[in-house]
Amino acid sequence: MIATKTPLPDLIDQAQTNEPAFLRQIFVRDQMAEWSKQPLVMARADGVFYWDVEGKRYFDAISGIYVVSVGHNNRRVIEAIRHQLDVMTFSPPMHGTNPQAVQLANLLAELAPGDLSTVKFECGGAEVVEAAIKLARQYHKLTGSPGKYKILSRYQSWHGSTLAALSASGLKSRKTVNEPLAPGFLHVFPPTCYRCPFGKTYPDCGITCATIVGDVVEMEDPSTVAAILVEPIGHTSGVTDPPDEYLPILRQICDRHNILLIFDEIITGIGRTGRMFAAETFGVTPDVICIAKGLSGGYAPLSAMICRRPIAEAFWGPIEENPGFVEGHTFEGNPVSCAAGIAVLQEILDRDLLGNARSQGQRLRAGFDALARKYPVIGDVRGKGLFQAIEFVSDRATRARFPDASALGTRVGRRALANGLLCRFDPHWIAFGPPLVVTAEEIDEMVAILDRSLGEVLAELDLTSSALGPTLLPAGGRADAPAGRM
Ligand SMILES: Cc1ncc(COP(=O)(O)O)c(C=O)c1O
């Protein structure tokens, strides 16, 4: 007789989920052999805290990864999802949409600056960056500039793991392994003022990092350039916020050459810089904004692309001439995700979490500045609102970095984890991006753990007097690998 049922395998116990034998069955984002030596498996979360499967508590100074905007275990969002689960969990994406998606689109249109008003929902950051790239190319085809296809973005940037988003990204540690990537993507140097790629010093630099973008467009032939894609504050370049003039100059270049300006606000959007969008913080309205992470606060996969009205209008022609926006995914505009997004936005507005992001951002800056006064290895403090970083240097005067292999940022970040603090760490910098609900006391405690962790690492290593060598790197570790999670 043929068996009709296969018995379900037994699940391992939750406490066993960080045992090496069971971790062999899962890919994680970190270098796996290294990670599995001290695996981090989170079991539950509340407010600004995580607990791992062993019951250890961590301050979440990075909102998971800039996601948990309204804190963990937010009852309003959970109740909104619960309600939606009872009503409808999926609507047919090939045939229409659902009330939650329409409501959220209209809410975003109200909140977005200028005439940014038409929304395409997706599930994650990379998907929505791809949507923006396709929107730019299709828009130019529909409006009589079919030769415009090139996407200009920046070195050291991160726009996501799918192949076009990766092609637009500028991080060699994540790109080279996947090459060859898609054609039609160009890169320029980012506005890393603290380490100007042109060897200049602000404000006497003529903002070369921005004006040279215009030169690149001219050299490439403006009739081939579809869009300029930038994060208002570059994350993987070390939380580099541009000089005030930078984004307005990009706006002028785009206006001059009929190029769409796309802001990847997947981190900076939804309040992180103290305004709903970093576009408002910098006073520059792009043609397209991409948001993701904080939009659903981590309660369901959700991202959105918001474009200006005149761009959306191009997609409304008669069916004989216009196929509409040729882009879509099965789970786009999922009603449960959109219900979460609506509740997150209501929570942010009702509790004035934008105001809280601004005031706690000032407190965080004061805390980082105090650390910089205490530790000469901190060369720079930068960022805006609840998105700030410190950069490590071996010599403040020359801004020399520690050798990559010394990985001070990685060491401090790992020590912070051991001390119960989750932050974003890289060999040369550490970033905080706590939930927008964070309190002053919690900011102080997070900074205090970082202080202790840095002090402990420096005490163990004679970092100020001796040259640092590769021996400081744990065997098998890659110094250039982003050790924190994205
Ligand atoms: C600025 C930025 N853009 C895009 C992405 C890609 O988002 P996702 O990982 O949801 O695809 C990320 C992810 O970290 C990001 O930080």
PDB file of all heavy atoms in Angstrom, residues 15-38:
ATOM      1  N   ALA A  15      15.920  25.912  22.606  1.00  0.00           N
ATOM      2  CA  ALA A  15      17.238  26.086  23.235  1.00  0.00           C
ATOM      3  C   ALA A  15      18.345  25.424  22.406  1.00  0.00           C
ATOM      4  O   ALA A  15      19.518  25.740  22.563  1.00  0.00           O
ATOM      5  CB  ALA A  15      17.217  25.519  24.642  1.00  0.00           C
ATOM      6  N   GLN A  16      17.967  24.492  21.539  1.00  0.00           N
ATOM      7  CA  GLN A  16      18.975  23.808  20.714  1.00  0.00           C
ATOM      8  C   GLN A  16      19.308  24.587  19.434  1.00  0.00           C
ATOM      9  O   GLN A  16      20.206  24.197  18.701  1.00  0.00           O
ATOM     10  CB  GLN A  16      18.451  22.426  20.302  1.00  0.00           C
ATOM     11  CG  GLN A  16      18.346  21.421  21.420  1.00  0.00           C
ATOM     12  CD  GLN A  16      17.821  20.114  20.863  1.00  0.00           C
ATOM     13  OE1 GLN A  16      16.658  19.998  20.503  1.00  0.00           O
ATOM     14  NE2 GLN A  16      18.700  19.138  20.747  1.00  0.00           N
ATOM     15  N   THR A  17      18.586  25.675  19.178  1.00  0.00           N
ATOM     16  CA  THR A  17      18.721  26.329  17.873  1.00  0.00           C
ATOM     17  C   THR A  17      20.035  27.079  17.706  1.00  0.00           C
ATOM     18  O   THR A  17      20.319  27.583  16.636  1.00  0.00           O
ATOM     19  CB  THR A  17      17.541  27.298  17.609  1.00  0.00           C
ATOM     20  OG1 THR A  17      17.459  28.213  18.705  1.00  0.00           O
ATOM     21  CG2 THR A  17      16.236  26.558  17.443  1.00  0.00           C
ATOM     22  N   ASN A  18      20.842  27.190  18.759  1.00  0.00           N
ATOM     23  CA  ASN A  18      22.176  27.765  18.547  1.00  0.00           C
ATOM     24  C   ASN A  18      23.276  26.709  18.680  1.00  0.00           C
ATOM     25  O   ASN A  18      24.439  27.037  18.845  1.00  0.00           O
ATOM     26  CB  ASN A  18      22.443  28.952  19.486  1.00  0.00           C
ATOM     27  CG  ASN A  18      22.321  28.573  20.936  1.00  0.00           C
ATOM     28  OD1 ASN A  18      22.019  27.426  21.242  1.00  0.00           O
ATOM     29  ND2 ASN A  18      22.561  29.520  21.827  1.00  0.00           N
ATOM     30  N   GLU A  19      22.894  25.431  18.574  1.00  0.00           N
ATOM     31  CA  GLU A  19      23.900  24.365  18.589  1.00  0.00           C
ATOM     32  C   GLU A  19      24.479  24.211  17.185  1.00  0.00           C
ATOM     33  O   GLU A  19      23.734  24.184  16.201  1.00  0.00           O
ATOM     34  CB  GLU A  19      23.271  23.044  19.049  1.00  0.00           C
ATOM     35  CG  GLU A  19      22.980  23.043  20.549  1.00  0.00           C
ATOM     36  CD  GLU A  19      22.304  21.756  20.998  1.00  0.00           C
ATOM     37  OE1 GLU A  19      22.386  20.737  20.264  1.00  0.00           O
ATOM     38  OE2 GLU A  19      21.685  21.790  22.076  1.00  0.00           O
ATOM     39  N   PRO A  20      25.814  24.100  17.097  1.00  0.00           N
ATOM     40  CA  PRO A  20      26.473  24.076  15.785  1.00  0.00           C
ATOM     41  C   PRO A  20      25.875  23.053  14.821  1.00  0.00           C
ATOM     42  O   PRO A  20      25.686  23.353  13.639  1.00  0.00           O
ATOM     43  CB  PRO A  20      27.929  23.742  16.125  1.00  0.00           C
ATOM     44  CG  PRO A  20      28.105  24.196  17.541  1.00  0.00           C
ATOM     45  CD  PRO A  20      26.771  24.071  18.202  1.00  0.00           C
ATOM     46  N   ALA A  21      25.533  21.884  15.286  1.00  0.00           N
ATOM     47  CA  ALA A  21      25.044  20.845  14.371  1.00  0.00           C
ATOM     48  C   ALA A  21      23.776  21.318  13.648  1.00  0.00           C
ATOM     49  O   ALA A  21      23.594  21.056  12.457  1.00  0.00           O
ATOM     50  CB  ALA A  21      24.740  19.575  15.151  1.00  0.00           C
ATOM     51  N   PHE A  22      22.921  22.041  14.340  1.00  0.00           N
ATOM     52  CA  PHE A  22      21.662  22.483  13.729  1.00  0.00           C
ATOM     53  C   PHE A  22      21.847  23.731  12.879  1.00  0.00           C
ATOM     54  O   PHE A  22      21.066  23.989  11.963  1.00  0.00           O
ATOM     55  CB  PHE A  22      20.606  22.702  14.819  1.00  0.00           C
ATOM     56  CG  PHE A  22      20.284  21.448  15.572  1.00  0.00           C
ATOM     57  CD1 PHE A  22      20.595  21.316  16.910  1.00  0.00           C
ATOM     58  CD2 PHE A  22      19.709  20.373  14.908  1.00  0.00           C
ATOM     59  CE1 PHE A  22      20.322  20.143  17.592  1.00  0.00           C
ATOM     60  CE2 PHE A  22      19.433  19.190  15.577  1.00  0.00           C
ATOM     61  CZ  PHE A  22      19.745  19.079  16.927  1.00  0.00           C
ATOM     62  N   LEU A  23      22.892  24.504  13.156  1.00  0.00           N
ATOM     63  CA  LEU A  23      23.135  25.723  12.366  1.00  0.00           C
ATOM     64  C   LEU A  23      23.710  25.403  10.992  1.00  0.00           C
ATOM     65  O   LEU A  23      23.768  26.276  10.126  1.00  0.00           O
ATOM     66  CB  LEU A  23      24.061  26.674  13.131  1.00  0.00           C
ATOM     67  CG  LEU A  23      23.427  27.232  14.406  1.00  0.00           C
ATOM     68  CD1 LEU A  23      24.429  28.073  15.173  1.00  0.00           C
ATOM     69  CD2 LEU A  23      22.194  28.057  14.069  1.00  0.00           C
ATOM     70  N   ARG A  24      24.129  24.172  10.791  1.00  0.00           N
ATOM     71  CA  ARG A  24      24.613  23.759   9.467  1.00  0.00           C
ATOM     72  C   ARG A  24      23.494  23.809   8.433  1.00  0.00           C
ATOM     73  O   ARG A  24      23.732  23.788   7.236  1.00  0.00           O
ATOM     74  CB  ARG A  24      25.139  22.317   9.526  1.00  0.00           C
ATOM     75  CG  ARG A  24      26.513  22.215  10.129  1.00  0.00           C
ATOM     76  CD  ARG A  24      27.495  22.880   9.210  1.00  0.00           C
ATOM     77  NE  ARG A  24      28.807  22.297   9.303  1.00  0.00           N
ATOM     78  CZ  ARG A  24      29.903  22.814   8.779  1.00  0.00           C
ATOM     79  NH1 ARG A  24      29.860  23.917   8.131  1.00  0.00           N
ATOM     80  NH2 ARG A  24      31.030  22.245   8.873  1.00  0.00           N
ATOM     81  N   GLN A  25      22.252  23.848   8.884  1.00  0.00           N
ATOM     82  CA  GLN A  25      21.116  23.788   7.951  1.00  0.00           C
ATOM     83  C   GLN A  25      20.604  25.160   7.546  1.00  0.00           C
ATOM     84  O   GLN A  25      19.541  25.278   6.947  1.00  0.00           O
ATOM     85  CB  GLN A  25      19.968  22.980   8.573  1.00  0.00           C
ATOM     86  CG  GLN A  25      20.028  21.500   8.283  1.00  0.00           C
ATOM     87  CD  GLN A  25      21.250  20.846   8.911  1.00  0.00           C
ATOM     88  OE1 GLN A  25      22.199  20.503   8.235  1.00  0.00           O
ATOM     89  NE2 GLN A  25      21.210  20.699  10.218  1.00  0.00           N
ATOM     90  N   ILE A  26      21.330  26.219   7.885  1.00  0.00           N
ATOM     91  CA  ILE A  26      20.805  27.553   7.549  1.00  0.00           C
ATOM     92  C   ILE A  26      21.943  28.470   7.099  1.00  0.00           C
ATOM     93  O   ILE A  26      23.033  28.455   7.673  1.00  0.00           O
ATOM     94  CB  ILE A  26      20.032  28.156   8.771  1.00  0.00           C
ATOM     95  CG1 ILE A  26      19.368  29.479   8.406  1.00  0.00           C
ATOM     96  CG2 ILE A  26      20.900  28.295  10.013  1.00  0.00           C
ATOM     97  CD1 ILE A  26      18.353  29.954   9.429  1.00  0.00           C
ATOM     98  N   PHE A  27      21.689  29.241   6.027  1.00  0.00           N
ATOM     99  CA  PHE A  27      22.604  30.300   5.614  1.00  0.00           C
ATOM    100  C   PHE A  27      22.269  31.554   6.405  1.00  0.00           C
ATOM    101  O   PHE A  27      21.099  31.942   6.474  1.00  0.00           O
ATOM    102  CB  PHE A  27      22.425  30.657   4.132  1.00  0.00           C
ATOM    103  CG  PHE A  27      23.106  29.707   3.180  1.00  0.00           C
ATOM    104  CD1 PHE A  27      22.357  28.917   2.318  1.00  0.00           C
ATOM    105  CD2 PHE A  27      24.487  29.637   3.108  1.00  0.00           C
ATOM    106  CE1 PHE A  27      22.978  28.059   1.413  1.00  0.00           C
ATOM    107  CE2 PHE A  27      25.119  28.786   2.209  1.00  0.00           C
ATOM    108  CZ  PHE A  27      24.361  27.990   1.360  1.00  0.00           C
ATOM    109  N   VAL A  28      23.260  32.216   6.974  1.00  0.00           N
ATOM    110  CA  VAL A  28      23.025  33.525   7.596  1.00  0.00           C
ATOM    111  C   VAL A  28      23.842  34.565   6.836  1.00  0.00           C
ATOM    112  O   VAL A  28      24.633  34.229   5.963  1.00  0.00           O
ATOM    113  CB  VAL A  28      23.395  33.530   9.102  1.00  0.00           C
ATOM    114  CG1 VAL A  28      22.471  32.637   9.884  1.00  0.00           C
ATOM    115  CG2 VAL A  28      24.850  33.149   9.301  1.00  0.00           C
ATOM    116  N   ARG A  29      23.664  35.845   7.195  1.00  0.00           N
ATOM    117  CA  ARG A  29      24.336  36.912   6.455  1.00  0.00           C
ATOM    118  C   ARG A  29      25.819  37.015   6.786  1.00  0.00           C
ATOM    119  O   ARG A  29      26.609  37.467   5.980  1.00  0.00           O
ATOM    120  CB  ARG A  29      23.660  38.257   6.748  1.00  0.00           C
ATOM    121  CG  ARG A  29      22.348  38.424   6.052  1.00  0.00           C
ATOM    122  CD  ARG A  29      22.536  38.642   4.558  1.00  0.00           C
ATOM    123  NE  ARG A  29      22.920  39.993   4.235  1.00  0.00           N
ATOM    124  CZ  ARG A  29      22.074  40.991   4.057  1.00  0.00           C
ATOM    125  NH1 ARG A  29      20.799  40.801   4.158  1.00  0.00           N
ATOM    126  NH2 ARG A  29      22.509  42.187   3.759  1.00  0.00           N
ATOM    127  N   ASP A  30      26.197  36.651   8.005  1.00  0.00           N
ATOM    128  CA  ASP A  30      27.603  36.745   8.394  1.00  0.00           C
ATOM    129  C   ASP A  30      28.440  35.654   7.732  1.00  0.00           C
ATOM    130  O   ASP A  30      27.907  34.688   7.203  1.00  0.00           O
ATOM    131  CB  ASP A  30      27.719  36.566   9.912  1.00  0.00           C
ATOM    132  CG  ASP A  30      27.445  37.849  10.652  1.00  0.00           C
ATOM    133  OD1 ASP A  30      28.119  38.840  10.357  1.00  0.00           O
ATOM    134  OD2 ASP A  30      26.556  37.840  11.512  1.00  0.00           O
ATOM    135  N   GLN A  31      29.767  35.837   7.835  1.00  0.00           N
ATOM    136  CA  GLN A  31      30.679  34.755   7.444  1.00  0.00           C
ATOM    137  C   GLN A  31      30.346  33.587   8.370  1.00  0.00           C
ATOM    138  O   GLN A  31      30.439  33.696   9.595  1.00  0.00           O
ATOM    139  CB  GLN A  31      32.127  35.236   7.619  1.00  0.00           C
ATOM    140  CG  GLN A  31      33.138  34.478   6.796  1.00  0.00           C
ATOM    141  CD  GLN A  31      33.480  33.115   7.369  1.00  0.00           C
ATOM    142  OE1 GLN A  31      33.204  32.818   8.513  1.00  0.00           O
ATOM    143  NE2 GLN A  31      34.091  32.284   6.536  1.00  0.00           N
ATOM    144  N   MET A  32      29.927  32.476   7.795  1.00  0.00           N
ATOM    145  CA  MET A  32      29.215  31.493   8.603  1.00  0.00           C
ATOM    146  C   MET A  32      30.101  30.759   9.607  1.00  0.00           C
ATOM    147  O   MET A  32      29.698  30.538  10.748  1.00  0.00           O
ATOM    148  CB  MET A  32      28.472  30.542   7.689  1.00  0.00           C
ATOM    149  CG  MET A  32      27.313  31.286   7.073  1.00  0.00           C
ATOM    150  SD  MET A  32      26.577  30.567   5.645  1.00  0.00           S
ATOM    151  CE  MET A  32      26.291  28.923   6.131  1.00  0.00           C
ATOM    152  N   ALA A  33      31.327  30.392   9.177  1.00  0.00           N
ATOM    153  CA  ALA A  33      32.196  29.657  10.090  1.00  0.00           C
ATOM    154  C   ALA A  33      32.504  30.524  11.320  1.00  0.00           C
ATOM    155  O   ALA A  33      32.515  30.038  12.458  1.00  0.00           O
ATOM    156  CB  ALA A  33      33.480  29.261   9.373  1.00  0.00           C
ATOM    157  N   GLU A  34      32.732  31.821  11.069  1.00  0.00           N
ATOM    158  CA  GLU A  34      33.043  32.752  12.166  1.00  0.00           C
ATOM    159  C   GLU A  34      31.830  32.910  13.078  1.00  0.00           C
ATOM    160  O   GLU A  34      31.918  32.841  14.295  1.00  0.00           O
ATOM    161  CB  GLU A  34      33.365  34.107  11.531  1.00  0.00           C
ATOM    162  CG  GLU A  34      34.633  34.843  11.873  1.00  0.00           C
ATOM    163  CD  GLU A  34      35.606  34.201  12.812  1.00  0.00           C
ATOM    164  OE1 GLU A  34      36.346  33.303  12.431  1.00  0.00           O
ATOM    165  OE2 GLU A  34      35.612  34.646  13.968  1.00  0.00           O
ATOM    166  N   TRP A  35      30.672  33.149  12.440  1.00  0.00           N
ATOM    167  CA  TRP A  35      29.438  33.405  13.176  1.00  0.00           C
ATOM    168  C   TRP A  35      29.064  32.216  14.068  1.00  0.00           C
ATOM    169  O   TRP A  35      28.641  32.374  15.207  1.00  0.00           O
ATOM    170  CB  TRP A  35      28.311  33.702  12.187  1.00  0.00           C
ATOM    171  CG  TRP A  35      26.976  33.894  12.836  1.00  0.00           C
ATOM    172  CD1 TRP A  35      26.528  35.006  13.479  1.00  0.00           C
ATOM    173  CD2 TRP A  35      25.918  32.925  12.915  1.00  0.00           C
ATOM    174  NE1 TRP A  35      25.264  34.793  13.952  1.00  0.00           N
ATOM    175  CE2 TRP A  35      24.865  33.528  13.615  1.00  0.00           C
ATOM    176  CE3 TRP A  35      25.762  31.623  12.442  1.00  0.00           C
ATOM    177  CZ2 TRP A  35      23.665  32.873  13.866  1.00  0.00           C
ATOM    178  CZ3 TRP A  35      24.572  30.958  12.693  1.00  0.00           C
ATOM    179  CH2 TRP A  35      23.544  31.586  13.395  1.00  0.00           C
ATOM    180  N   SER A  36      29.274  31.009  13.520  1.00  0.00           N
ATOM    181  CA  SER A  36      28.794  29.842  14.258  1.00  0.00           C
ATOM    182  C   SER A  36      29.609  29.592  15.537  1.00  0.00           C
ATOM    183  O   SER A  36      29.191  28.833  16.393  1.00  0.00           O
ATOM    184  CB  SER A  36      28.785  28.604  13.368  1.00  0.00           C
ATOM    185  OG  SER A  36      30.102  28.322  12.965  1.00  0.00           O
ATOM    186  N   LYS A  37      30.779  30.295  15.654  1.00  0.00           N
ATOM    187  CA  LYS A  37      31.542  30.150  16.908  1.00  0.00           C
ATOM    188  C   LYS A  37      30.801  30.814  18.069  1.00  0.00           C
ATOM    189  O   LYS A  37      30.917  30.398  19.204  1.00  0.00           O
ATOM    190  CB  LYS A  37      32.919  30.808  16.762  1.00  0.00           C
ATOM    191  CG  LYS A  37      33.847  30.045  15.836  1.00  0.00           C
ATOM    192  CD  LYS A  37      35.166  30.795  15.719  1.00  0.00           C
ATOM    193  CE  LYS A  37      35.992  30.208  14.596  1.00  0.00           C
ATOM    194  NZ  LYS A  37      37.041  31.140  14.163  1.00  0.00           N
ATOM    195  N   GLN A  38      30.101  31.903  17.748  1.00  0.00           N
ATOM    196  CA  GLN A  38      29.308  32.594  18.782  1.00  0.00           C
ATOM    197  C   GLN A  38      27.970  32.984  18.170  1.00  0.00           C
ATOM    198  O   GLN A  38      27.692  34.165  17.938  1.00  0.00           O
ATOM    199  CB  GLN A  38      30.030  33.853  19.250  1.00  0.00           C
ATOM    200  CG  GLN A  38      31.128  33.577  20.234  1.00  0.00           C
ATOM    201  CD  GLN A  38      31.765  34.866  20.697  1.00  0.00           C
ATOM    202  OE1 GLN A  38      32.140  35.707  19.897  1.00  0.00           O
ATOM    203  NE2 GLN A  38      31.888  35.022  21.998  1.00  0.00           N
TER     204      GLN A  38
END
